[in-house]
Amino acid sequence: MKIECVSKVLNAKVLCEGKGLDTEVLSACGCDLMSDVLAFVKNQAMLLTGLVNLQVVRTAEMMDMKAIVFVRGKMPGNDIIELAKDMKIAVLSTDLPLYMACGKLYDAGLHND
């Protein structure tokens, strides 16, 4: 699923385009524990989280994630957005809670097969 499609499915605001909105993500991880992200993430993944700090971007970069979606209307600070820009990671924000955001992406065809 392309990041542009993710933003439409989640009615999310794009805060940083990363490598571009036509970048493909093949799976998603909904998590607030970065240790779980490190343990379970797959390639070409996207992170959905309510945790808003620089460690989220650093973890996403370590795992070669293409996008981060902040849920529950959380808005990252400029330091987070600038770091994501430097690392070419797309950043989005949605008002949806984590559970519903993951469900909507699953229903739209993004499966972690």
Side-chain angles (χ1 to χ4, degrees):
M1 178 179 289
K2 294 183 188 279
I3 294 172
E4 181 177 27
C5 183
V6 169
S7 72
K8 289 177 183 173
V9 168
L10 299 179
N11 194 28
K13 180 177 182 182
V14 177
L15 306 173
C16 168
E17 291 189 12
K19 291 183 180 176
L21 297 181
D22 62 341
T23 301
E24 191 82 24
V25 290
L26 304 178
S27 63
C29 174
C31 193
D32 288 341
L33 293 173
M34 294 302 105
S35 58
D36 282 353
V37 174
L38 292 170
F40 299 111
V41 77
K42 295 181 180 182
N43 290 336
Q44 303 293 321
M46 171 177 49
L47 176 61
L48 290 90
T49 187
L51 185 63
V52 182
N53 63 38
L54 290 170
Q55 192 61 31
V56 171
V57 180
R58 291 189 180 106
T59 301
E61 193 271 333
M62 283 178 51
M63 301 309 294
D64 195 31
M65 293 183 147
K66 307 303 176 198
I68 300 168
V69 178
F70 292 104
V71 297
R72 298 189 306 273
K74 303 260 181 127
M75 293 298 286
N78 287 336
D79 55 342
I80 294 171
I81 294 171
E82 289 303 316
L83 183 59
K85 281 181 185 175
D86 291 344
M87 296 181 173
K88 306 271 192 269
I89 299 170
V91 177
L92 295 85
S93 177
T94 181
D95 288 333
L96 294 171
L98 182 60
Y99 180 77
M100 290 187 68
C102 290
K104 283 183 172 279
L105 290 171
Y106 185 89
D107 284 346
L110 186 61
H111 302 162
N112 292 350
D113 297 331

